[in-house]
Amino acid sequence: MSNHHTIRLNGPWEMITALPDEPQRVKLPKGWPEIISAAKQGPVLLQRWFHRPTGIDDGSQVELVLIGLPFSGSVSVNDQSLGSFAPFQTHARSVGAHLTERCCLTLSVERLGELEDSIPIPQISLAILPAS
């Protein structure tokens, strides 16, 4: 993915757990320890709202890029499933067809990966690739 524009989706995110509490706001990358701790206790859902990126023309491709997430799970944009992902890998999913003026990105944490003493800082971003 060379020659592209990256928009990092650092936050704020809402973390929804099985507890009856209100969703907790987390800002990435600082909030990763909170997410990992919550995932050890049970199911976690992460949601982040964002606006459709400007400057996208008909030939542009927009991909959601997940890098090094410490868990497996599934991902959706505006309730449209983009499939599942494995822990500690890089995944890119085309999202251009699912973008609206205001978008909701949802990550469902299914299982934590095997955690080392320190993990690399995961990234969640949009990559905008120009028309070819």
Side-chain angles (χ1 to χ4, degrees):
M1 277 193 295
S2 60
N3 194 23
H4 68 278
H5 175 68
T6 299
I7 301 171
R8 292 193 183 195
L9 299 174
N10 286 337
W13 285 76
E14 288 188 348
M15 180 173 63
I16 303 163
T17 63
L19 300 174
D21 299 332
E22 290 292 316
Q24 180 181 349
R25 291 180 75 102
V26 291
K27 179 140 172 88
L28 303 179
K30 187 175 95 175
W32 282 113
E34 294 170 64
I35 294 167
I36 292 169
S37 178
K40 288 178 181 177
Q41 306 303 313
V44 172
L45 201 65
L46 299 170
Q47 288 188 320
R48 185 187 190 288
W49 290 88
F50 64 94
H51 292 283
R52 184 179 192 275
T54 58
I56 299 173
D57 60 32
D58 290 339
S60 298
Q61 293 180 347
V62 182
E63 293 184 342
L64 173 68
V65 181
L66 309 173
I67 301 173
L69 298 182
F71 47 81
S72 62
S74 58
V75 61
S76 66
V77 172
N78 296 329
D79 294 325
Q80 298 295 311
S81 175
L82 301 177
S84 60
F85 57 89
F88 304 112
Q89 295 182 13
T90 298
H91 302 275
R93 304 283 196 277
S94 177
V95 296
H98 306 296
L99 297 179
T100 58
E101 204 52 42
R102 187 164 190 254
C103 303
C104 181
L105 172 60
T106 304
L107 295 174
S108 176
V109 177
E110 293 172 6
R111 179 175 293 140
L112 283 174
E114 294 294 322
L115 300 172
E116 302 291 327
D117 290 336
S118 65
I119 60 171
I121 296 175
Q123 285 185 16
I124 304 169
S125 60
L126 293 176
I128 303 171
L129 298 96
S132 40

